[in-house]
Amino acid sequence: MSIEMCIEAEDVLRFEALVLAFNKTGVHDFEEEEYGFSGLFPISGMAFYVFQKEKCTVIPQLLAEGADKKFAWPVGTRIKFRYVNENFDECTSQLKAFISNLANVSNANFLLSFQYDTIYAVRDKGGLHKIADF
């Protein structure tokens, strides 16, 4: 069974900022998809899938458990990260670097959850906050 982490980002997140955050984390090759784009992190082999409202229907509400009680922003981008189990530590390290880079290159709000269940990090007007260890 594969671990899947999810980002739900505010609809003001720009494509250029997203690509820059991936580039700063070592990802330079992307595959255009009908829903957005996908790729792999080079060290861990962790796959990611970016769903953009410009290319597909993105539910504008936050889906993470309990998020609707704490946060309120229209979602425009969802990103799913699929871990490679045997590279768990590398996947976690690269995901942490990615969310830090994303928070640094964009003011867009976002949250990171485990399969829309447990929220692990939130980027809001106060910056990036890690809510739980992952």
Side-chain angles (χ1 to χ4, degrees):
M1 182 165 92
S2 205
I3 292 175
E4 192 170 273
M5 300 294 280
C6 307
I7 285 181
E8 299 179 85
E10 187 176 18
D11 64 0
V12 298
L13 177 61
R14 296 177 44 104
F15 173 78
E16 296 80 12
L18 192 53
V19 169
L20 181 58
F22 277 114
N23 289 166
K24 286 177 174 274
T25 316
V27 178
H28 300 285
D29 296 321
F30 304 97
E31 188 73 34
E32 189 171 340
E33 307 284 358
E34 63 185 35
Y35 54 78
F37 62 95
S38 64
L40 295 172
F41 284 86
I43 295 170
S44 65
M46 177 172 56
F48 63 87
Y49 309 90
V50 178
F51 299 84
Q52 300 170 281
K53 71 175 184 178
E54 296 82 12
K55 298 221 173 183
C56 67
T57 302
V58 173
I59 299 169
Q61 293 82 22
L62 291 166
L63 299 178
E65 186 88 21
D68 58 336
K69 294 176 177 76
K70 299 176 185 174
F71 313 106
W73 61 75
V75 175
T77 301
R78 293 188 195 284
I79 311 169
K80 293 188 177 186
F81 300 88
R82 192 151 301 139
Y83 273 45
V84 176
N85 291 341
E86 52 273 7
N87 296 338
F88 181 87
D89 291 340
E90 292 86 356
C91 291
T92 299
S93 176
Q94 288 189 300
L95 183 53
K96 286 180 178 181
F98 175 76
I99 65 170
S100 178
N101 288 331
L102 184 58
N104 287 332
V105 300
S106 174
N107 290 328
N109 295 316
F110 66 84
L111 63 79
L112 173 72
S113 68
F114 169 70
Q115 296 175 239
Y116 301 113
D117 187 25
T118 306
I119 298 173
Y120 284 91
V122 174
R123 199 271 186 227
D124 60 16
K125 63 183 174 190
L128 181 61
H129 313 281
K130 294 194 176 127
I131 295 174
D133 234 6
F134 66 97

